[in-house]
Amino acid sequence: MSRPQRILRGVVLGIGALVFLFPFYYMVIGSLQAKPDPSVAGAFPNVANITGENYVQINDRINLFQGLLNSGIFTGGVLLGTMVFGLLAGYALAVLQWRGRGVTFALALLVQVIPFQLLMIPLYVLIARDYGLADNYLGMILPFFINSTAVVIFRQYFLQLPKELFEAARIDGASELVLLWRIAIPLVRPAIITVVLLTFIGPWNEFLWPFLVTKEASLQPLAVSLANYISNVAASASNPFGATLAGAVVLAAPVVVLFIVFQRYFVSTNIGSGVKG
């Protein structure tokens, strides 16, 4: 590319970055304002109008730490199930040879086109009435414990691995679990990071299912607590606009930090480097 083209690309990318980042900046600035200013000028407030009181007010009402802890338990349980079953199922669909493998993969794809809202009522009856897991962390986690998207991602990555690696290890007497743990998983780290980030965002921001299955405020994730605060308590706050934005900042911060830390791993590794010739 010529110098003018590089400059033009940089300008266009910079403008696009500012457009996408402005809502996050506005959310942080709004959460720190003592007096709400919803106009565009509010994005550049007076320093005297900056305070942390909004965070104190919303924490007094909904306990931000407890909400973050509940969200972390919910998301951590979903991540655990997604990684364990996703890796096992993806490996079985990509590397092992068994009857019905194609049909099973087709069913995994089919599950992705079924809206979760369509299954919500039978799931609620099954988990809350039959299993008695209402107001329980396990009741929140179970419907998301196996993620078909993660299975598909892992399968596609495992399919790219050279078959010679597995054949050589089998000749040496390695079992399939050893092959998965020592050969396959280290070579698909980009897929693991991708699945972790995609899976983390879903349950961390999930509202509807935890709202249905939990009535105890001490068990509700932060997204549900914030929604209840906006509906029932925000009007009585001295600055409901700022307090709501403060809660949104706390909810969004872990996702942003996680992406910033791991975004450099969104690159493919040379999965053929272990094969000579």
Side-chain angles (χ1 to χ4, degrees):
M1 296 179 65
S2 64
R3 181 181 177 85
Q5 288 176 326
R6 290 197 300 269
I7 295 175
L8 178 61
R9 183 182 64 175
V11 171
V12 172
L13 292 176
I15 294 174
L18 289 175
V19 170
F20 281 99
L21 289 174
F22 182 77
F24 296 98
Y25 165 79
Y26 190 81
M27 178 175 65
V28 174
I29 290 298
S31 70
L32 296 173
Q33 293 181 3
K35 296 181 180 179
D37 186 1
S39 65
V40 177
F44 309 97
N46 189 336
V47 178
N49 195 34
I50 298 297
T51 179
E53 186 63 26
N54 294 322
Y55 291 89
V56 175
Q57 287 188 5
I58 193 170
N59 184 64
D60 291 340
R61 297 299 186 112
I62 65 173
N63 193 339
L64 292 176
F65 177 77
Q66 184 63 45
L68 285 172
L69 179 62
N70 294 336
S71 295
I73 294 173
F74 175 36
T75 305
V78 173
L79 280 174
L80 176 63
T82 296
M83 297 304 299
V84 172
F85 290 102
L87 285 168
L88 291 174
Y91 180 84
L93 290 171
V95 179
L96 303 182
Q97 301 295 328
W98 46 281
R99 181 175 298 178
R101 187 177 70 166
V103 175
T104 304
F105 178 63
L107 291 175
L109 293 176
L110 181 62
V111 168
Q112 297 186 55
V113 303
I114 301 176
F116 179 73
Q117 290 77 7
L118 189 65
L119 305 174
M120 194 167 297
I121 294 177
L123 277 174
Y124 179 81
V125 172
L126 180 68
I127 289 178
R129 188 185 68 182
D130 297 346
Y131 293 166
L133 294 177
D135 286 323
N136 189 291
Y137 289 122
L138 189 58
M140 287 191 288
I141 294 170
L142 278 180
F144 304 94
F145 206 57
I146 300 178
N147 191 323
S148 61
T149 302
V151 173
V152 172
I153 292 175
F154 284 131
R155 174 187 180 272
Q156 296 307 114
Y157 266 81
F158 285 138
L159 284 175
Q160 300 177 49
L161 301 181
K163 298 185 182 300
E164 293 84 354
L165 290 174
F166 299 101
E167 293 172 357
R170 290 190 182 100
I171 292 174
D172 291 338
S175 65
E176 294 300 330
L177 286 178
V178 172
L179 291 176
L180 174 63
W181 182 255
R182 295 188 176 180
I183 297 177
I185 292 179
L187 291 175
V188 295
R189 288 177 181 171
I192 293 175
I193 299 298
T194 300
V195 169
V196 167
L197 290 176
L198 293 178
T199 304
F200 182 91
I201 294 172
W204 185 264
N205 295 321
E206 179 64 28
F207 164 75
L208 191 54
W209 176 253
F211 176 76
L212 286 177
V213 81
T214 59
K215 302 304 178 185
E216 291 289 337
S218 60
L219 295 174
Q220 292 177 340
L222 185 56
V224 179
S225 299
L226 284 176
N228 291 334
Y229 172 82
I230 294 172
S231 300
N232 303 320
V233 187
S236 62
S238 59
N239 184 2
F241 180 76
T244 302
L245 289 180
V249 170
V250 175
L251 182 63
V255 180
V256 175
V257 171
L258 191 70
F259 179 80
I260 292 175
V261 171
F262 291 104
Q263 58 87 23
R264 65 190 181 95
Y265 293 102
F266 276 97
V267 292
S268 297
T269 57
N270 184 10
I271 58 178
S273 60
V275 181
K276 296 179 63 176

